[in-house]
Amino acid sequence: MDFGNPDTWSTAIYFWIIPAVLGDAIFPPIPSEMVLITGGALSAAGRANLFLVGILSATASWLGDMVVFQLFKRRLSHILDRWTWGRKIHRGIHEAIAKAGRSSAYGTIIGARFIPGGRLATSAAAGIADVSTRGFSLCAGLGAVLWATWLVGLGYFTGSATRLPFWASSLIGVAVGLVIGALVGLIVTRRRGDRSPVDEPGSAPGPGTQTPGA
């Protein structure tokens, strides 16, 4: 299989977008951004449909956010603790909240997805804070459209501007996205802690938490 051949990727990209973006909702290390940027670069090369890539990306992002939100809003996150991998993910979610902050404001729900781990953190924090489902759904939908447009558009712009092979344009787009994401992250996430500032109902208090009368 020739991975440098755009024909190898032209059809497969549609099948990779949904699982990558859905998985990224709960496990940020999954490189969904790279998949979206690659989709944009393939579109610039005439090997993929730009609007279909964008629609699939935004839809998968919204669905992933809603899954995480409902998991915490309905107090079902303890289900993750049944498995070793689930406990690691659960712990990672609280670490993400600690880094990105506990804000569940609508503006944060829309914008925090542009920083590393922000999408997961705000979806979980909004669920714990019992934000209305309708309000979160609308904000997550708008954020998903903006996020997908940014990443797919970045890949398309890079591919159109450089005229390099799609894989080279994708790597350049990923590098640009990482730099911009890191800068935004430095600006937004100034407050960092060693544990999640949001304690789920029924969870044990974190280290350093004082109990009444102590």
Side-chain angles (χ1 to χ4, degrees):
M1 182 179 290
D2 183 5
F3 289 100
N5 187 343
D7 292 330
T8 303
W9 296 74
S10 58
T11 302
I13 193 69
Y14 299 122
F15 295 97
W16 291 347
I17 288 173
I18 291 180
V21 177
L22 279 175
D24 179 41
I26 199 167
F27 191 61
I30 293 177
S32 64
E33 291 86 355
M34 186 170 187
V35 174
L36 270 59
I37 291 172
T38 299
L42 284 169
S43 300
R47 302 290 183 169
N49 185 295
L50 180 66
F51 295 101
L52 182 56
V53 170
I55 290 172
L56 289 175
S57 303
T59 300
S61 176
W62 179 81
L63 286 174
D65 292 350
M66 291 302 298
V67 168
V68 174
F69 172 73
Q70 291 294 340
L71 188 68
F72 282 85
K73 185 178 180 66
R74 297 179 183 275
R75 309 301 186 244
L76 299 176
S77 57
H78 64 276
I79 294 175
L80 295 172
D81 297 331
R82 296 180 180 178
W83 304 278
T84 300
W85 61 266
R87 289 192 291 272
K88 291 180 180 178
I89 290 177
H90 199 173
R91 187 162 54 249
I93 290 172
H94 280 276
E95 289 173 356
I97 295 175
K99 291 179 180 179
R102 65 173 296 167
S103 175
S104 57
Y106 290 144
T108 304
I109 294 171
I110 295 172
R113 69 191 60 242
F114 292 93
I115 65 175
R119 179 180 166 211
L120 168 63
T122 52
S123 297
I128 295 171
D130 206 24
V131 172
S132 73
T133 299
R134 182 182 179 187
F136 179 83
S137 178
L138 291 174
C139 291
L142 177 57
V145 170
L146 294 174
W147 181 73
T149 300
W150 156 244
L151 291 173
V152 176
L154 179 59
Y156 185 86
F157 175 79
T158 304
S160 300
T162 63
R163 297 297 179 182
L164 293 171
F166 82 95
W167 57 267
S169 299
S170 298
L171 291 176
I172 294 174
V174 169
V176 172
L178 286 174
V179 170
I180 294 177
L183 291 175
V184 173
L186 287 173
I187 295 172
V188 175
T189 59
R190 293 179 180 178
R191 231 178 126 185
R192 299 179 185 273
D194 57 1
R195 69 180 185 90
S196 171
V198 180
D199 288 324
E200 296 178 60
S203 64
T209 302
Q210 292 185 346
T211 55

